[in-house]
Amino acid sequence: MTLLHTKAPARRGTSRIGALFVTPYVLFILAVFAVPLGYTVWISFHRFYFTAPGADADTPWVGLDNYQAVFTDPVVGRAFLNILIFLVINVPLTVGLSLVLASALNAKLPFRSFFRAAYYVPYVTASVALVAVWQFLFGGDGLVNNLLGGLAPDPSWLVNSELAMPVIAFFVTWKQLGFFVMLYLAALQNVGKELYEAASVDGAGRIRQFFSVTVPGVRPATTLVVIYAIITGANLFSEPYLLTGGGGPDHASASPVLIMYQKGIEQGHPDFAAALGIVLVAVVLAVSLVARKLTERGN
């Protein structure tokens, strides 16, 4: 009986200490996520305008009018189609290339540390600097067109309604590849070497070992990579804004987040932008849940 009485206060004390450590993180989440999200939901159901500090403006309830405007706007529909094109190109490339490169860099290679750092450099380099490089490569008078000569597309890559978004997808894949390579490198440390030895004894070659041992062994990391790539693609902004001058040509490279910026900031319709933001959050959550179910199948 005495033992029970001494353990209960200890547990309560531990719980209080745990709550004390968790509290700053909870406050951070509320401050940067929950409160802004709740305010965005409120704005999406009202007619809302930005006003000068101290000025008052009516914010009448409009119900689903803003959402109706979002769903009937052809530019928004094109933006979501662009993101679909982006994800179809970017996600498989990101998963495939990063896993293959991570497997290669996990082996004992000369200058392995150098190659690991080289793949990571684009990820930590400012987007503006990298965009300048890609404009030099894929501009109308860029290096790629000069090399292709008469085979170069007309109009050029970044002003071509069919090629602008694929070029952006390749750019983002290249820029962020190093980050995902590092994720897979960390995951590969948990794949036992004895599994490769057993597969080798059974007569499996390198390719067979990759698909039978490596791919299943890093499946949790693949789920993380896929979901992170989806979220990154859904929040695409700086790349189309900088590479194609704001989503051109004819909104062929526009993204929902770019439309939110244009509608909410440049055109003064934050209520429309808020409704679009809520729709985007719902779509990303749905797609991420489906992707998680598909990637975790077989666990």
Side-chain angles (χ1 to χ4, degrees):
M1 189 69 178
T2 305
L3 182 61
L4 293 176
H5 281 295
T6 56
K7 283 186 175 181
R11 291 196 189 99
R12 286 196 293 269
T14 303
S15 299
R16 293 192 188 99
I17 294 174
L20 182 64
F21 280 105
V22 170
T23 298
Y25 181 74
V26 172
L27 294 176
F28 174 80
I29 292 296
L30 289 174
V32 304
F33 182 75
V35 173
L37 180 61
Y39 190 47
T40 301
V41 172
W42 183 88
I43 292 175
S44 69
F45 289 103
H46 293 77
R47 184 70 61 216
F48 190 88
Y49 302 97
F50 289 128
T51 58
D56 292 328
D58 292 333
T59 55
W61 170 272
V62 295
L64 297 175
D65 287 358
N66 291 322
Y67 291 92
Q68 182 179 1
V70 167
F71 284 112
T72 56
D73 192 325
V75 176
V76 172
R78 181 59 190 267
F80 275 99
L81 176 61
N82 293 338
I83 290 300
L84 176 61
I85 295 171
F86 175 92
L87 294 178
V88 167
I89 298 172
N90 173 260
V91 175
L93 275 178
T94 296
V95 173
L97 290 176
S98 56
L99 181 52
V100 169
L101 289 172
S103 299
L105 293 174
N106 195 48
K108 294 182 179 179
L109 297 173
F111 307 106
R112 183 173 62 175
S113 298
F114 168 78
F115 286 113
R116 287 181 176 183
Y119 281 112
Y120 195 72
V121 166
Y123 179 73
V124 296
T125 303
S127 294
V128 175
L130 298 178
V131 163
V133 174
W134 276 66
Q135 286 177 334
F136 168 75
L137 293 174
F138 291 96
D141 297 324
L143 179 62
V144 174
N145 283 349
N146 289 331
L147 292 175
L148 291 176
L151 298 177
D154 185 24
S156 189
W157 306 90
L158 297 176
V159 293
N160 190 309
S161 59
E162 296 180 357
L163 297 176
M165 185 52 69
V167 170
I168 292 174
F170 285 117
F171 170 77
V172 175
T173 301
W174 168 76
K175 181 181 185 300
Q176 298 189 337
L177 196 61
F179 173 74
F180 295 114
V181 168
M182 292 301 160
L183 288 181
Y184 273 127
L185 278 172
L188 286 170
Q189 309 312 308
N190 296 320
V191 182
K193 293 183 179 179
E194 64 275 6
L195 297 176
Y196 292 100
E197 294 172 355
S200 179
V201 170
D202 290 339
R206 291 293 182 88
I207 296 178
R208 181 69 177 179
Q209 290 178 26
F210 178 80
F211 286 103
S212 298
V213 179
T214 303
V215 173
V218 298
R219 185 174 283 119
T222 299
T223 300
L224 177 62
V225 169
V226 169
I227 292 177
Y228 192 91
I230 290 172
I231 294 174
T232 300
N235 287 279
L236 199 66
F237 173 78
S238 60
E239 289 79 7
Y241 184 78
L242 296 173
L243 275 173
T244 62
D250 298 326
H251 305 289
S253 62
S255 66
V257 175
L258 180 59
I259 300 300
M260 289 168 58
Y261 169 76
Q262 292 173 338
K263 289 284 188 178
I265 304 300
E266 295 182 345
Q267 301 175 20
H269 298 291
D271 44 5
F272 181 97
L276 177 54
I278 298 302
V279 172
L280 180 61
V281 169
V283 171
V284 172
L285 283 175
V287 174
S288 298
L289 288 174
V290 172
R292 179 181 177 182
K293 292 293 183 182
L294 292 176
T295 55
E296 290 182 345
R297 183 177 296 175
N299 279 356

